[in-house]
Amino acid sequence: MQVCYKIDELLSCVEKLKEEKKTIGLLPTMGALHQGHLSLAKRGKRENDVLICSVFVNPIQFNNKEDLEKYPRDLDGDLALLEEVECDIVFAPSAEEVYAEEPEFTYSFGSLESVLEGPQRPGHFNGVATIVHKLFNWSKADRAYFGEKDFQQVAIVKDLVRQFNIPIEIVECPIFRDEDGLATSSRNRRLSPEARAIAPKIHKILMKSASLMKTLSVSQVKGYVESEFKMRKEFTLEYFEIVDATTLQPVKIKGDNKTVGCIAVWLDGVRLIDIQKY
Ligand code: PAF
């Protein structure tokens, strides 16, 4: 496994791979890798000749300084895990090099970013699009792998690819859950043991909402989820929305289109997100 700390090092690797006509899979991450990342890495490895995994805590996608500072970092641990899944190249650049020049371009995703995470985290998706676009350019990957837990991020990345005609396939991968149902996330490691023990309640409530969707109205299901969190003082619900799976616009009445429940909830000072497909 080769580790590139500089952009030029990655570019030379990619040039060689392209000469050899190898297919490239890219797994963009912010490190603190967990089983969810590793399942994406294994898939990327299976479906391409070469897997590049980027490990970069992207400062410009954090709208909260404290969140950026607290974001877990463990490059040595990440490298050991990536070695185990036979990743070929790790790209771990410095923020100084990536943002040697202040980004001048601002991305726009219209109504896709005016909902859910968008209003809660101003500038977040512009930051994500900036780094993802750079990674796509540098890696010249054929496929890039993203987890469905960040449902809105996947929609934004697909729109980025559409807007800029980037020749890359976006591969959406199912959520990886711990045995008790909690969606794996780098942020989970910041939960106290007590909070970790009750965190699976999020998935349980969402699963129940899926069975209620069969008989109740959208607003009744929304009311159910909101009341479940209101009565559990450990949790603070930031939002729960039932949205159209393609447009991400809130749905008022059940129709033929696929819908998804998207949630952001605070527990023990940690912001957790999850989704439920209906
Ligand atoms: O999902 C993440 O970890 C990040 O948003 C990403 C896609 C690596 C961009 O920094």
Side-chain angles (χ1 to χ4, degrees), residues 25 62 67 102 118 120 122 130 182 191 193 206 209 225 233 254 259 264:
F62 288 81
D67 197 22
E102 184 102 350
Q120 310 293 339
T130 304
L182 178 65
L191 294 170
L206 288 180
S209 78
V225 172
K233 295 291 165 235
K254 280 189 251 177
T259 55

Side-chain angles (χ1 to χ4, degrees), residues 28-30 58 61 128 131-132 146 153:
T29 81
M30 296 206 296
N58 177 32
Q61 73 183 72
V128 170
I131 189 61
V132 166
F146 291 87
Q153 172 169 278

Side-chain angles (χ1 to χ4, degrees), residues 149-181:
K149 178 168 72 75
D150 296 293
F151 197 77
Q152 190 174 13
Q153 172 169 278
V154 176
I156 296 273
V157 169
K158 281 185 178 165
D159 201 48
L160 172 77
V161 166
R162 184 192 61 79
Q163 286 189 44
F164 292 88
N165 306 104
I166 307 171
I168 193 166
E169 181 190 339
I170 302 304
V171 185
E172 281 172 67
C173 304
I175 297 188
F176 196 91
R177 296 186 183 278
D178 287 341
E179 264 173 33
D180 56 11

Side-chain angles (χ1 to χ4, degrees), residues 199-214:
K201 209 63 203 154
I202 301 169
H203 178 51
K204 290 209 174 72
I205 293 170
L206 288 180
M207 280 201 301
K208 175 84 187 197
S209 78
S211 62
L212 293 177
M213 268 297 258
K214 292 181 191 135

Side-chain angles (χ1 to χ4, degrees), residues 89-134:
I89 298 171
V90 179
F91 178 48
S94 68
E96 288 70 27
E97 193 185 10
V98 170
Y99 294 117
E101 284 177 35
E102 184 102 350
E104 284 178 28
F105 188 80
T106 306
Y107 293 82
S108 172
F109 299 100
S111 55
L112 282 182
E113 64 180 342
S114 63
V115 288
L116 306 171
E117 297 288 291
Q120 310 293 339
R121 306 175 73 185
H124 171 67
F125 288 120
N126 183 54
V128 170
T130 304
I131 189 61
V132 166
H133 201 170
K134 284 177 187 288

Side-chain angles (χ1 to χ4, degrees), residues 24-75:
I24 302 175
L26 170 72
L27 172 58
T29 81
M30 296 206 296
L33 302 182
H34 49 69
Q35 290 305 318
H37 290 118
L38 299 183
S39 73
L40 267 60
K42 285 180 197 157
R43 181 160 174 192
K45 182 76 193 163
R46 262 198 323 272
E47 296 179 352
N48 302 277
D49 295 325
V50 171
L51 175 70
I52 302 177
C53 177
S54 61
V55 176
F56 178 65
V57 181
N58 177 32
I60 69 162
Q61 73 183 72
F62 288 81
N63 57 310
N64 177 328
K65 205 166 163 261
E66 200 188 326
D67 197 22
L68 171 63
E69 276 159 14
K70 281 194 186 160
Y71 201 85
R73 289 163 176 84
D74 176 16
L75 185 58

